[in-house]
Amino acid sequence: KSFLLHIVNKPANDEITGAIRIPVTPSGLTRLESYFSHGSTQSYGKFCTNNSSTPDHDTWYYFVATGSSHTIRVSNMNTFYNYFHGSNLHRIEAFDGYASDSSTLASKLYGCSWNPYTLSSLTSGDTVYFRVFSGGLQNTSAFGVTVENSQTIDEPQNAILLTLNNK
């Protein structure tokens, strides 16, 4: 008799100490990196009372604010699965900086939201930690994470337009 055994390691960002930095991008710019919650564990219980989901498989991220308003988006569209899978019911909990224990972290809570989550009243240079966890059974454990500011993509002043010469 034989059997197949799969061993799954926890992701490096399973705890807040291993949070992955997400670069801030202009609104509407899609990033291609994929992140995974497969093998992750629960770091802390839920911090928000308006949250009915249990954060049993959370992963941690952070960004450095470049302005006063940023939107965190989690997408089931990613480079691992080249199609939309599931209902995209991710929960996001955001915190004003790092803390290694739950009571200090709770005091730094910005708030919680279903995906996407817009934070306002930030100051450039603020470091925002956030965790992502599934709010439904239909979510894939592979997903994309984007942090957008309100800046739009535009050509810089005096930019030279390049044209393609199809000869």
Side-chain angles (χ1 to χ4, degrees):
K1 222 176 195 185
S2 66
F3 62 92
L4 182 62
L5 176 65
H6 292 274
I7 298 173
V8 178
N9 293 323
K10 293 192 278 184
N13 61 334
D14 185 45
E15 303 293 335
I16 193 170
T17 54
I20 295 172
R21 183 174 181 168
I22 303 295
V24 176
T25 61
S27 181
L29 184 65
T30 303
R31 298 187 66 239
L32 297 178
E33 288 90 348
S34 289
Y35 301 98
F36 303 90
S37 62
H38 195 70
S40 64
T41 60
Q42 180 180 10
S43 303
Y44 305 103
K46 58 184 169 183
F47 289 101
C48 293
T49 56
N50 67 344
N51 177 8
S52 60
S53 301
T54 302
D56 54 358
H57 298 288
D58 58 358
T59 51
W60 288 87
Y61 308 88
Y62 74 97
F63 69 92
V64 177
T66 58
S68 61
S69 178
H70 292 71
T71 299
I72 302 168
R73 294 184 190 282
V74 181
S75 171
N76 282 351
M77 196 71 146
N78 57 71
T79 57
F80 187 72
Y81 294 113
N82 196 20
Y83 60 94
F84 181 80
H85 175 75
S87 57
N88 201 22
L89 293 175
H90 288 94
R91 292 289 297 178
I92 300 165
E93 290 183 344
F95 304 88
D96 179 18
Y98 174 88
S100 60
D101 64 273
S102 63
S103 59
T104 305
L105 197 58
S107 72
K108 295 175 171 281
L109 181 69
Y110 275 125
C112 309
S113 179
W114 291 103
N115 177 49
Y117 183 30
T118 299
L119 297 159
S120 55
S121 301
L122 298 175
T123 301
S124 287
D126 285 352
T127 301
V128 177
Y129 280 79
F130 63 97
R131 68 175 174 172
V132 173
F133 55 94
S134 176
L137 297 175
Q138 297 299 315
N139 284 335
T140 177
S141 63
F143 50 86
V145 177
T146 302
V147 176
E148 302 172 350
N149 61 19
S150 57
Q151 179 184 9
T152 57
I153 300 172
D154 201 1
E155 295 82 24
Q157 186 177 7
N158 300 320
I160 299 171
L161 179 63
L162 299 176
T163 57
L164 182 61
N165 187 355
N166 291 328
K167 288 187 176 185

